[in-house]
Amino acid sequence: MLAGRLHVADRVLRMESVRVPEPERGQVRIRVEAAGVCLSDVHLIDGTLTPLYLPGDVVTLGHEVAGVVDAFGDDVEGWEPGQRVLLQAGERDRRGTVFTRGVDYDGGWAEYAVAREDTVVPIPDDLPFEQACIIPDAVSTPWAAVTDTGRTRPGEAVAVWGVGGLGAHAVQLLRLVGAAPVIAVEPLAAARDRATVLGADAALDPADPGFRDAVLELTGGRGLDVAFDFAGVTPVREQALTVLARRGRLVLAGIANKPVTIASDSPFNYFQQALLGHYGSESEHVEQLVSLARQKRLDLSASISDVLPLGEAEEAVRRVHTKEGNPIRLILRP
């Protein structure tokens, strides 16, 4: 079968012919119908990220995967060939260590993929594979940030810095849970326009000299109850801290690999504000989102920027890296 294989030692992505994997005990094999291209895939290729638990130095990329059940190993029950499914983006071992699909073990940039049966999630017949595959990570990460880490409540004033692959979904999800107003903060005009289409009540340029005044006007003078950093850059954190309300929370969903600095602890303490770290999501978040999609509460059709053949994975990586066309998600189809 064809697979997009990252050779970690020299950071080269190669499209290679490899053997179709055989499912072992407790595993399900799926025929891949769609796989998302994430910025973290790009960072794995450029060396910004490195697998922690990969036993060798070559891995099939792709942690956002959907398809149909093809075969299963011994002791697997409850699945039938042809069932439509998505795969969780990773799995835990008995010690609680999280192994990420397409990073620590082979993922879904391939014609077939195997998964532990408890990481396989059924999807409704009317949910397109292209939309289903991005639920793990692209949608579940901001969903977990909004509902669990940020504990966002209806009527709270919120802002999202960075409305790319994760932040664009955060805008939709914040509106879904009843946050108001939902403010998008983004330097790119095209991305601000897109955020407005996706449901943002306002879209602001962070470089605007009147930025702070605009936030205060939009929030009735009180500031933000929750601020979400999906950009992962230091200036975002610094700016967000200046517009937090009393008991406001700043959620760091983007990773900058830089120190986080609070300019002064006096106002931070006096206003009882909080700084919260966030990473990824849990299996229940993916299942919640599938349920929401099944009940027509979540529409991800606008998230699919383009669909490319699996053989053009390198081109998809280039387009995500350069942000060509301002994509939310590019999809590979075997």
Side-chain angles (χ1 to χ4, degrees):
M1 69 174 185
L2 184 66
R5 304 275 282 169
L6 172 63
H7 293 253
V8 178
D10 52 10
R11 300 289 175 169
V12 174
L13 172 66
R14 297 190 179 103
M15 303 307 297
E16 299 176 342
S17 179
V18 300
R19 293 180 63 181
V20 174
E22 291 296 330
E24 299 178 357
R25 182 183 299 274
Q27 288 186 330
V28 175
R29 185 174 70 198
I30 73 161
R31 185 180 76 246
V32 177
E33 296 288 346
V37 181
C38 178
L39 187 59
S40 62
D41 295 312
V42 177
H43 289 331
L44 284 164
I45 296 169
D46 68 22
T48 304
L49 297 176
T50 297
L52 291 177
Y53 306 112
L54 181 66
D57 62 357
V58 183
V59 65
T60 300
L61 295 178
H63 56 274
E64 299 179 344
V65 190
V68 298
V69 172
D70 175 69
F72 30 82
D74 294 339
D75 297 333
V76 173
E77 298 179 354
W79 297 103
E80 296 292 338
Q83 276 186 277
R84 306 174 82 256
V85 299
L86 61 77
L87 303 184
Q88 297 278 4
E91 59 187 46
R92 294 181 188 271
D93 67 9
R94 293 179 179 179
R95 295 172 295 181
T97 303
V98 177
F99 296 85
T100 302
R101 188 182 311 280
V103 179
D104 301 308
Y105 61 100
D106 286 342
W109 288 12
E111 295 178 66
Y112 293 88
V114 294
R116 204 171 70 191
E117 65 172 323
D118 62 331
T119 66
V120 181
V121 180
I123 59 174
D125 291 343
D126 58 355
L127 178 61
F129 290 113
E130 294 82 4
Q131 296 177 35
C133 76
I134 68 171
I135 288 177
D137 191 26
V139 191
S140 64
T141 292
W143 177 247
V146 166
T147 59
D148 270 5
T149 304
R151 303 185 303 279
T152 310
R153 296 184 292 271
E156 288 193 311
V158 301
V160 175
W161 273 259
V163 288
L166 297 181
H169 292 119
V171 167
Q172 294 174 271
L173 297 168
L174 285 162
R175 190 174 183 90
L176 181 64
V177 300
V182 176
I183 304 167
V185 185
E186 169 64 53
L188 298 176
R192 291 198 298 273
D193 292 341
R194 181 178 67 192
T196 302
V197 172
L198 291 173
D201 298 295
L204 304 179
D205 184 342
D208 187 335
F211 174 82
R212 186 173 187 277
D213 290 339
V215 171
L216 293 177
E217 181 177 354
L218 287 165
T219 60
R222 77 177 190 273
L224 300 172
D225 297 300
V226 198
F228 294 90
D229 167 25
F230 282 98
V233 294
T234 298
V236 164
R237 287 100 185 257
E238 295 172 345
Q239 185 175 58
L241 285 167
T242 67
V243 288
L244 283 186
R246 177 180 291 277
R247 297 184 181 275
R249 292 95 71 196
L250 170 56
V251 177
L252 305 184
I255 298 175
N257 288 319
K258 300 288 185 181
V260 179
T261 304
I262 297 172
S264 173
D265 59 0
S266 294
F268 188 83
N269 292 350
Y270 179 76
F271 292 117
Q272 298 177 279
Q273 295 166 338
L275 188 64
L276 302 168
H278 178 77
Y279 185 80
S281 62
E282 300 294 333
S283 58
E284 61 263 28
H285 297 120
V286 171
E287 292 163 4
Q288 290 164 3
L289 290 163
V290 170
S291 177
L292 287 168
R294 179 181 290 111
Q295 297 176 68
K296 310 302 181 186
R297 297 295 182 91
L298 181 63
D299 180 5
L300 298 173
S301 58
S303 300
I304 311 307
S305 304
D306 200 0
V307 180
L308 290 81
L310 174 61
E312 295 182 19
E314 293 174 87
E315 170 63 11
V317 168
R318 184 194 68 79
R319 287 169 58 177
V320 171
H321 177 68
T322 61
K323 299 183 179 180
E324 181 181 311
N326 191 26
I328 296 179
R329 265 299 185 269
L330 298 180
I331 305 299
L332 298 176
R333 178 184 291 154

